[in-house]
Amino acid sequence: MPHRVSEADAARIARFRPASGMETPRFAGLASFMRLPVRSPESADGVEIGLVGIPFDGATTNRPGARLGPRGVREASTGTRMVNHASGIAPYALAACADLGDVPVNPIDAAETCRRIEGVFAGLRERGVVSFAVGGDHLVTYPILRALGRGRPLGLVHIDAHSDTDDAQYDGTRLTHGTPFRRAVEDGVLDPRRCVQIGIRGSMDAADERDWACAQGIRIVTMEEAVARGLPEIVAEARAIVGAGPAYLSFDIDALDPAYAPGTGTPEIGGFTAREALYLVRALRGLDLVGADLVEVAPPLDPSGMTALAGGQLAFEILCLLADAVAARRTGTG
C-alpha cells in the first residue's frame, strides 16, 4: 500500500528531490548519488535519508580498489530515475534524501578510520537521519553498526559471498574486511539470533571457518541452499528471522557472480545474477530498516563499468526500501 504524505511533509521533501533527467541531462553537472542535492553531515537539517561515501579499502586482504567505489557508484547512479517500476515506490516523494559527501577517512589507518566513521554515523543518528553508506571495503560496516546499534542491538540481512565473521587475519589483525560482523556481535550491537547471511559460497581457509557464526545463532544460507530451495522461500525465512524489530541491510557486490560484477576485491564464481539480486532486495520491503550499505565495488578492477552500474542501480533499490521504511515510521503504518 502506498504511504500517504501530508502537504507539509510533501513540501519539505520536495526541496530535496534530485534533478530530473527530463529537465537537464543525467550526464551533466557534478555527479552525486542519484543526482541528489549535496549537503554536509553538519548541515543535514530536514534530511531524512543521508547517503554517505566511505572511500576506504585499507582493510582489504585481496585486491584493492574499493576506495574508489563511492565515486564510481555516484557516477553510475546518475542514470537512475524517480520511480521504481517494479514496486511503484517513488523514494523522493516519500523521504527527504541528500548526498552527505564522504567520511574523511585515513587511508592507511583502519582503527582511526573506524573511529571517524562511527563519529559521523552516530551524529546522523542523533539528528534522526537514516544512513545509507556506499563503501569502501566491508570493514566500514562495523563502525556503522556500532553507531546505529548502540543501546538497541540490530537485526541484519547480509547478502554476500563471504560470512565476514573471521576472528583475525594476518598475524592477529582484528580489523579487516573479513571480520566486521564478528566484531559487531562481540560489541553487542548486532543480535546474532536476528541475523541472516545469504549467498555464502567459495572455498574456505579452514573447515571450521563458519562454526563461530553458527554457534552464535547467525543463520548462514549458502548459495547452494539458496539454489536448491529457491529465493522466495529463502526470503520468507530471512524476514521471519529478522522479525519486526529494527534491522540493517548490508549488500556486498561480490554476492553477484563475477559475470555481472567483476570489479570487486574477492570475486567468487557461482553467485547471484543481477536479476536475482534485484529480487532479493525488493522482497525485503516492509522490514524496519534503520540503515544500509553497499560495499566492495572496485571500479579500477572493471574497465567495462558494469560493476559500478550494478552498484548504482542496486543502490537505488536499497534507497527505495529505506524511503518506504521512513514513510512507514512517519505515518505509523510500519
Side-chain angles (χ1 to χ4, degrees):
M1 292 290 292
H3 299 289
R4 293 183 178 180
V5 179
S6 69
E7 290 186 9
D9 283 332
R12 173 179 54 80
I13 292 168
R15 295 165 37 219
F16 293 94
R17 286 184 183 169
S20 170
M22 303 304 291
E23 298 171 358
T24 180
R26 287 186 291 275
F27 52 80
L30 298 177
S32 65
F33 291 122
M34 322 299 173
R35 306 186 79 204
L36 286 164
V38 178
R39 302 285 189 272
S40 70
E42 297 75 26
S43 61
D45 293 345
V47 175
E48 292 175 290
I49 301 175
L51 291 89
V52 182
I54 310 180
F56 178 79
D57 62 8
T60 188
T61 59
N62 197 29
R63 304 189 300 172
R67 66 182 59 189
L68 297 179
R71 183 170 294 182
V73 171
R74 278 189 175 94
E75 179 67 31
S77 73
T78 61
T80 59
R81 298 176 177 85
M82 300 293 186
V83 181
N84 188 309
H85 90 98
S87 65
I89 296 174
Y92 315 118
L94 293 178
C97 308
D99 185 329
L100 301 184
D102 288 347
V103 174
V105 303
N106 183 327
I108 58 174
D109 190 330
E112 175 59 22
T113 289
C114 283
R115 285 190 287 270
R116 295 181 185 185
I117 294 170
E118 184 175 352
V120 168
F121 285 82
L124 293 177
R125 178 185 174 182
E126 290 172 3
R127 293 179 176 87
V129 178
V130 171
S131 54
F132 180 12
V134 176
D137 68 46
H138 220 150
L139 177 64
V140 306
T141 303
Y142 168 50
I144 297 172
L145 291 172
R146 280 179 54 88
L148 303 187
R150 191 69 67 188
R152 54 163 188 183
L154 301 176
L156 173 74
V157 179
H158 171 207
I159 303 173
D160 199 333
H162 311 98
S163 178
D164 293 347
T165 51
D166 290 344
D167 186 21
Q169 297 176 298
Y170 294 96
D171 297 324
T173 303
R174 292 168 58 80
L175 295 177
T176 79
H177 69 160
T179 66
F181 300 107
R182 185 160 183 156
R183 299 286 87 86
V185 170
E186 291 171 343
D187 287 358
V189 294
L190 268 186
D191 179 354
R193 296 162 300 179
R194 295 182 56 230
C195 294
V196 58
Q197 302 180 319
I198 303 173
I200 310 304
R201 63 187 189 278
S203 56
M204 300 187 295
D205 290 311
D208 63 353
E209 184 174 294
R210 301 170 189 162
D211 288 359
W212 182 90
C214 293
Q216 307 310 304
I218 295 174
R219 173 71 168 102
I220 296 178
V221 180
T222 65
M223 193 69 208
E224 291 76 14
E225 181 181 355
V227 170
R229 293 176 58 197
L231 294 187
E233 187 174 326
I234 296 300
V235 171
E237 182 184 358
R239 295 177 66 94
I241 289 170
V242 173
Y248 188 88
L249 171 61
S250 185
F251 195 111
D252 187 322
I253 203 69
D254 70 26
L256 273 65
D257 190 273
Y260 302 91
T264 191
T266 312
E268 302 280 0
I269 65 169
F272 292 115
T273 66
R275 187 180 299 114
E276 289 168 335
L278 289 174
Y279 175 87
L280 280 171
V281 173
R282 290 168 180 169
L284 298 175
R285 182 180 186 179
L287 294 182
D288 186 21
L289 293 176
V290 298
D293 64 54
L294 175 80
V295 298
E296 297 284 1
V297 173
L301 300 176
D302 178 12
S304 75
M306 72 166 63
T307 309
L309 176 64
Q313 297 194 355
L314 284 167
F316 175 76
E317 296 287 339
I318 294 170
L319 180 62
C320 288
L321 295 185
L322 293 176
D324 192 67
V326 166
R329 288 191 289 269
R330 188 197 304 126
T331 59
T333 58

